[in-house]
Amino acid sequence: MDMTPVANCNMSSCAYNSSAMCHTRAINVGYHAECNTYVHAGATGGINEVTGGIGACMAADCKFNNRLECTASGIEVSGHQGHADCLKFADRDALES
């Protein structure tokens, strides 16, 4: 199983972001679909030749979460209320109602 890629990230203030792409090997998505790998720093991090993927997803309520692995074809990360969020999050329960 390949890691789900971070297809786009508009968090330009993140140390791993360059040209709207994530350049760390893997991000972790937290319980509330936030990017726990977001680093607001003046220093540049990551590896330019690497495109980020989802290492672990702890958003248990997301329909794409299967045993802490993201099964989406790709995600986008964007700012939401002052932090970075996974825009692909889809509430498992809301879709079943």
Side-chain angles (χ1 to χ4, degrees):
M1 175 182 198
D2 292 331
M3 267 197 282
T4 298
V6 178
N8 184 36
C9 177
N10 78 1
M11 299 302 293
S12 60
S13 59
C14 181
Y16 293 113
N17 187 309
S18 176
S19 302
M21 294 299 296
C22 180
H23 293 284
T24 189
R25 293 184 195 277
I27 70 166
N28 289 329
V29 175
Y31 296 103
H32 303 287
E34 72 279 8
C35 175
N36 284 341
T37 311
Y38 171 78
V39 177
H40 181 79
T44 301
I47 303 164
N48 284 337
E49 297 77 27
V50 170
T51 301
I54 309 302
C57 178
M58 295 171 276
D61 295 334
C62 182
K63 78 170 192 168
F64 296 108
N65 186 324
N66 181 14
R67 300 176 60 191
L68 302 178
E69 299 293 334
C70 181
T71 62
S73 59
I75 72 156
E76 292 187 26
V77 176
S78 185
H80 177 252
Q81 296 180 342
H83 59 270
D85 268 356
C86 170
L87 297 183
K88 194 71 171 188
F89 175 85
D91 192 317
R92 180 183 322 268
D93 294 332
L95 296 171
E96 293 175 1
S97 355

